[in-house]
Amino acid sequence: EYMGVFFIQKMEVPKQEQKETDGNESPEEIEPINQQRKKLHRYPYSIVWTPIPLLSWILPIIGHMGICDSAGTIYDFQGPYTIGKGKMAFGNPTRYIVLNPERIGVEPENGSSKREIWDKSVSRGCDIYSERVHNLCFDNCHSHVAVCLEHMKYHGIAKWNMFMLAFWMFFCGKFVGVGGILKTFLPLIIVLILALMFYAMTRR
């Protein structure tokens, strides 16, 4: 039931959804991520991704992930009991997906806005993971983002996981630019070329 979520979320919030309202609440205004925001590494309401040296060179679907608050500040689970703020553990983002706060599944309480729910969910996820030991395979940066999304029940989904997020980013993530494409795939291409050259030499 979760496979469709990888493809139904577009990189930008549809204009018609920005104009719609939920009850008496006005929809959140999401400013487009322009070149200036990219230079500042600010991605409001987004999940962001950057390659991990060596690991991503071999398997480009594997990388480091973070989540941004409504102001665009990046938060990522960098290691045991450590949450980074504003700067990712393995460098600036190369890919991102802009989410839509109107798809938050948690009902507002005491007049709280979607923006407040989003930021509170991100903060809660960071608090939880600031007390956890990092495990590369089972409890990692993707898990941290998943917990943040779970707290807001994004897209009505109560249980997110690292596999959902990894595939979603790999197939739907938007590159920040040509530099992001090169940083993501150039090392893999070089590794493949070297491997082919080595194979050719051993066949002689």
Side-chain angles (χ1 to χ4, degrees):
E1 66 181 291
Y2 297 140
M3 291 302 295
V5 75
F6 303 140
F7 305 104
I8 59 178
Q9 173 66 55
K10 303 298 183 182
M11 298 304 102
E12 296 180 357
V13 179
K15 293 181 180 179
Q16 64 270 23
E17 290 188 6
Q18 290 184 6
K19 296 178 181 179
E20 293 177 355
T21 59
D22 292 333
N24 296 321
E25 181 180 339
S26 299
E28 300 295 334
E29 294 295 331
I30 303 177
E31 297 181 14
I33 297 178
N34 52 30
Q35 290 301 319
Q36 181 62 26
R37 283 185 175 272
K38 291 178 182 179
K39 288 180 181 179
L40 296 173
H41 311 298
R42 295 276 182 167
Y43 300 85
Y45 299 109
S46 300
I47 55 176
V48 293
W49 184 95
T50 194
I52 299 175
L54 298 180
L55 282 178
S56 301
W57 299 354
I58 301 170
L59 292 173
I61 196 172
I62 297 176
H64 184 65
M65 183 173 284
I67 189 169
C68 305
D69 61 16
S70 62
T73 303
I74 301 171
Y75 296 87
D76 62 321
F77 185 35
Q78 298 186 349
Y81 317 113
T82 304
I83 298 293
K85 180 180 179 180
K87 188 175 181 180
M88 299 184 77
F90 295 96
N92 297 324
T94 62
R95 306 186 75 174
Y96 64 96
I97 297 177
V98 180
L99 306 188
N100 185 350
E102 294 304 311
R103 291 178 176 168
I104 290 173
V106 174
E107 293 296 328
E109 295 181 358
N110 301 321
S112 60
S113 65
K114 298 285 188 180
R115 180 189 298 270
E116 291 170 331
I117 295 173
W118 179 282
D119 288 340
K120 184 177 180 180
S121 298
V122 172
S123 177
R124 179 56 181 152
C126 291
D127 289 343
I128 292 171
Y129 271 80
S130 66
E131 299 178 353
R132 290 195 181 182
V133 175
H134 189 281
N135 185 304
L136 183 63
C137 298
F138 301 108
D139 202 14
N140 51 39
C141 56
H142 288 62
S143 307
H144 162 241
V145 174
V147 166
C148 294
L149 296 179
E150 287 174 358
H151 273 81
M152 64 181 80
K153 291 186 179 178
Y154 186 75
H155 225 295
I157 298 175
K159 294 297 292 184
W160 288 80
N161 60 59
M162 68 180 77
F163 301 106
M164 295 167 65
L165 292 171
F167 279 97
W168 193 15
M169 181 61 73
F170 185 76
F171 288 107
C172 297
K174 187 174 182 179
F175 289 98
V176 299
V178 176
I181 297 174
L182 293 177
K183 185 178 178 181
T184 300
F185 292 112
L186 184 59
L188 172 63
I189 294 172
I190 293 174
V191 169
L192 290 175
I193 291 174
L194 292 176
L196 289 173
M197 291 175 61
F198 178 77
Y199 176 77
M201 292 174 61
T202 57
R203 295 286 292 178
R204 291 179 181 177

